[in-house]
Amino acid sequence: MTEAVRPSSRLSIVDAARGTALAAMFVYHFVWDLGFFRVVPPEMPASPGFKFFGHIIAGSFLALVGISHALATRNGIKWKPWAFRLSMIIAAAALITLVTYYLFPESYIFFGILHCIVVGSLLALLFTRVPWPITALVGLAIILGPIWASERFDPVNWWLGLGFDEPRTNDWRPVFPWSGFALVGLALAQAIPFERWPAGLLSWRERNRPTRWLVQGGRHSLLVYLVHQPVLLAIAFLLSLFFVQRQLPQTTPTAAFQNACEARCLEVQPNRQYCAAACSCVVKEAQTAGLWDKVLRNTLEPGERVTYDALTQQCVRRANPEISP
């Protein structure tokens, strides 16, 4: 048996893949940080295309959890190293929650990628010796689970991910659908055992500085994950000192809604003061009723839509006597 396929060895190609996912994550987080400090438009990190980029990164990390588990357990489960690794991830996830709760109490991370990796690791352990078709089917069922989501799951939506509403948090990777990618990765490694991989992949070694960085980053991914964001935030903050005011107007979601509301109002009532008063009233009343976040995301439920329409009509009537058209 060659060095590349010895049970106790690591596969450099897997470490490089994990390092590549880390590099993509650096790009994603750095753009998010630049948006946070308004060096780039703050809506950029929230755009559908950029969110999809983040989803690809998260799915890659979790699939690699399953692949790495298959690699580490192909000659039996080594319980002490496995438990040590899992405990380190749990501690890191708890640290992320505590730090983000202190820095961003309104959007702290309570179930992000590290929390989901913990669940994915436990699922991979549970399916270690299960036939790969069953593992793949369960993984796909978890990934597709949100399609059949029901409102009744909302009370546990903070970790399960089967409710309608997305909570306010800087990173949300709930059990459904994300942990399913770990099982899909495990099933892939079960269906195509490492011994059947092409010899070029099994014997691949880093031969230049960039690939060495990828492999080393992949081998120490948890440490890199914990360190990278403070560094990127510091760089983004320094850039904001020079570029934030010179490049971009600052537009909040509330201001964008106000502008759009006034534009629609002016189409039927050409009185700017009247429209400004009516739209400001709608924003205030929706916030008071606790509907504002759902209004911005356009996720009002039928009963809430009735309430919102009623307060909108109330604001129209309230503004009319104060400012005659």
Side-chain angles (χ1 to χ4, degrees):
M1 182 176 292
T2 65
E3 179 71 17
V5 296
R6 187 177 301 165
S8 61
S9 67
R10 300 180 67 108
L11 291 182
S12 294
I13 192 66
V14 174
D15 289 326
R18 192 181 298 107
T20 302
L22 279 172
M25 181 188 66
F26 293 168
V27 174
Y28 179 83
H29 283 169
F30 191 51
V31 173
W32 189 95
D33 297 339
L34 292 175
F36 178 77
F37 287 110
R38 299 186 180 276
V39 179
V40 301
E43 62 270 17
M44 180 184 294
S47 65
F50 203 74
K51 279 190 172 182
F52 183 69
F53 177 53
H55 294 340
I56 292 176
I57 297 170
S60 299
F61 269 118
L62 286 158
L64 285 167
V65 168
I67 293 173
S68 298
H69 180 81
L71 176 62
T73 59
R74 57 181 171 166
N75 199 35
I77 301 174
K78 298 177 176 60
W79 288 104
K80 287 186 177 180
W82 183 90
F84 177 77
R85 173 185 171 276
L86 186 66
S87 65
M88 293 295 291
I89 300 173
I90 292 173
L95 178 64
I96 291 294
T97 296
L98 291 174
V99 171
T100 56
Y101 184 79
Y102 176 77
L103 295 176
F104 313 104
E106 295 183 355
S107 58
Y108 73 98
I109 299 173
F110 52 82
F111 207 91
I113 186 68
L114 289 183
H115 303 75
C116 192
I117 286 176
V118 171
V119 175
S121 298
L122 292 172
L123 285 175
L125 177 67
L126 184 64
F127 282 80
T128 300
R129 297 293 177 254
V130 173
W132 73 264
I134 297 177
T135 302
L137 287 174
V138 174
L140 290 174
I142 293 174
I143 292 172
L144 298 176
I147 295 177
W148 298 283
S150 169
E151 186 180 0
R152 66 178 179 271
F153 290 108
D154 277 349
V156 290
N157 192 38
W158 67 276
W159 65 273
L160 196 57
L162 287 176
F164 288 142
D165 299 329
E166 181 175 339
R168 294 185 62 183
T169 175
N170 290 330
D171 183 26
W172 190 48
R173 305 295 173 185
V175 174
F176 290 83
W178 296 105
S179 66
F181 287 96
L183 290 184
V184 170
L186 177 62
L188 179 63
Q190 290 172 332
I192 310 175
F194 298 102
E195 290 78 6
R196 290 167 51 191
W197 284 22
L201 291 180
L202 295 176
S203 61
W204 183 87
R205 292 291 183 271
E206 60 276 22
R207 291 181 173 84
N208 52 50
R209 184 173 297 177
T211 56
R212 283 197 296 271
W213 287 348
L214 291 178
V215 170
Q216 290 302 314
R219 288 177 180 171
H220 306 284
S221 56
L222 183 58
L223 177 62
V224 174
Y225 180 86
L226 293 175
V227 171
H228 86 282
Q229 186 65 312
V231 174
L232 295 181
L233 278 169
I235 296 173
F237 172 73
L238 292 175
L239 289 174
S240 73
L241 299 178
F242 298 96
F243 297 107
V244 63
Q245 295 298 334
R246 301 175 186 177
Q247 290 184 349
L248 300 169
Q250 298 186 11
T251 303
T252 64
T254 300
F257 175 90
Q258 178 87 16
N259 293 336
C261 176
E262 292 182 22
R264 291 193 300 269
C265 176
L266 288 170
E267 292 177 359
V268 296
Q269 178 59 268
N271 186 308
R272 188 169 296 277
Q273 286 182 302
Y274 168 79
C275 289
C279 291
S280 296
C281 174
V282 170
V283 172
K284 181 178 179 181
E285 293 298 327
Q287 291 172 338
T288 301
L291 301 176
W292 186 234
D293 288 339
K294 290 189 175 183
V295 170
L296 290 178
R297 296 198 304 265
N298 195 26
T299 57
L300 289 171
E301 297 174 15
E304 294 170 331
R305 173 63 64 180
V306 172
T307 302
Y308 176 70
D309 290 342
L311 66 85
T312 299
Q313 293 301 318
Q314 180 183 0
C315 286
V316 169
R317 291 192 298 270
R318 186 182 302 170
N320 193 34
E322 297 176 358
I323 305 173
S324 58

